């Protein structure tokens, strides 16, 4: 019966957008969001996402501490469940992990592959394992608006590949220093 229920669940949800799937699983999700992951953890109803948030593929939300399974006394095993809260105007990069009890404030960028073990204040860019503050949201916003190509400069009559080729920055990043 479990196999049949699992199959029916997949059939029911396969055409849902990420946001629809998240809401179906119990997440609270605001407006104008993009959710490209289905790794919502075992308690997705403990995850709250505000407005204008992008969650890239492979991001994982962890809302409980599984290591408590190791500890037991006469009162039994211990449990720890904690909420995750994501503010507005947030981008969470590919394959990042958001740990239990984390609150990400507004205007935050999380670099790809980051492990978020502590709450993140408003207006910063974080990255790494464990994540650290590596930049300012406002500084990056200024750079993007002044240096990057805008939609008004892109020829949308071309197919995606041609558009991308025509608007690709051909420079490379600086080398790491010894």
């Amino acid at each position: 019966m479990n196999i049949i229920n699992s199959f029916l669940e997949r059939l029911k949800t396969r055409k849902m957008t990420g946001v629809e799937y998240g809401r179906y699983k119990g997440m609270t999700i605001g407006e104008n969001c993009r959710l490209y992951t289905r790794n919502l953890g075992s308690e997705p109803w403990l995850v709250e996402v505000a407005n204008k948030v992008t969650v890239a593929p492979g991001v994982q939300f962890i809302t409980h501490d599984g290591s408590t399974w190791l500890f037991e006394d006469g009162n039994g095993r211990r449990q720890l469940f904690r909420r995750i809260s994501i503010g507005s105007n947030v981008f969470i990069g590919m394959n990042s992990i958001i740990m239990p009890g984390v609150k990400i404030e507004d205007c935050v960028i999380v670099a790809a592959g980051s492990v978020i073990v502590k709450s993140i204040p408003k207006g910063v860019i974080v990255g790494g394992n464990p994540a650290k503050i590596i930049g300012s949201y406002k500084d990056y916003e200024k750079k993007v608006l002044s240096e990057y190509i805008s939609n008004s400069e892109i020829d949308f009559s071309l197919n995606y590949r041609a558009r991308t080729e025509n608007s690709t920055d051909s420079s490379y990043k600086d080398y790491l220093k010894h």
Side-chain angles (χ1 to χ4, degrees):
M1 192 63 152
N2 241 358
I3 294 171
I4 293 170
N5 286 340
S6 178
F7 173 76
L8 292 173
E9 174 82 5
R10 268 185 259 147
L11 194 61
K12 180 178 181 178
T13 61
R14 71 184 174 146
K15 291 191 178 183
M16 289 181 179
T17 66
V19 170
E20 289 168 340
Y21 182 74
R23 288 179 178 145
Y24 171 77
K25 290 302 220 174
M27 290 177 74
T28 301
I29 303 173
E31 298 302 314
N32 199 19
C33 292
R34 304 181 305 168
L35 189 64
Y36 297 115
T37 187
R38 290 193 173 212
N39 297 326
L40 306 179
S42 51
E43 302 85 26
W45 54 89
L46 295 178
V47 179
E48 180 178 297
V49 177
N51 301 313
K52 200 174 180 187
V53 173
T54 296
V55 179
V59 170
Q60 296 183 50
F61 295 101
I62 301 174
T63 53
H64 68 276
D65 182 347
S67 70
T68 61
W69 177 83
L70 296 170
F71 307 106
E72 186 173 351
D73 61 13
N75 293 318
R77 280 183 42 209
R78 297 303 192 265
Q79 308 287 331
L80 177 64
F81 300 94
R82 296 186 77 185
R83 295 184 182 282
I84 294 172
S85 176
I86 312 295
S88 294
N89 299 309
V90 173
F91 179 88
I92 303 175
M94 184 177 278
N95 295 326
S96 293
I97 300 171
I98 315 299
M99 298 299 286
V102 164
K103 183 174 188 175
I104 299 175
E105 296 285 349
D106 296 344
C107 301
V108 168
I109 297 170
V110 176
S114 298
V115 178
I116 310 301
V117 298
K118 292 186 177 184
S119 293
I120 302 173
K122 180 179 182 174
V124 297
I125 301 170
V126 298
N129 178 8
K132 294 180 178 12
I133 295 174
I134 59 173
S136 158
Y137 183 95
K138 279 287 182 204
D139 291 346
Y140 185 63
E141 179 181 38
K142 286 177 194 170
K143 178 179 180 170
V144 168
L145 293 174
S146 68
E147 297 178 20
Y148 293 11
I149 191 167
S150 70
N151 280 354
S152 66
E153 300 169 281
I154 296 173
D155 183 355
F156 283 94
S157 69
L158 300 173
N159 68 43
Y160 180 71
R161 182 175 182 155
R163 284 197 311 267
T164 304
E165 292 288 348
N166 286 347
S167 52
T168 297
D169 179 346
S170 61
S171 65
Y172 292 96
K173 295 185 177 200
D174 294 337
Y175 286 98
L176 293 172
K177 293 183 174 38
H178 292 280

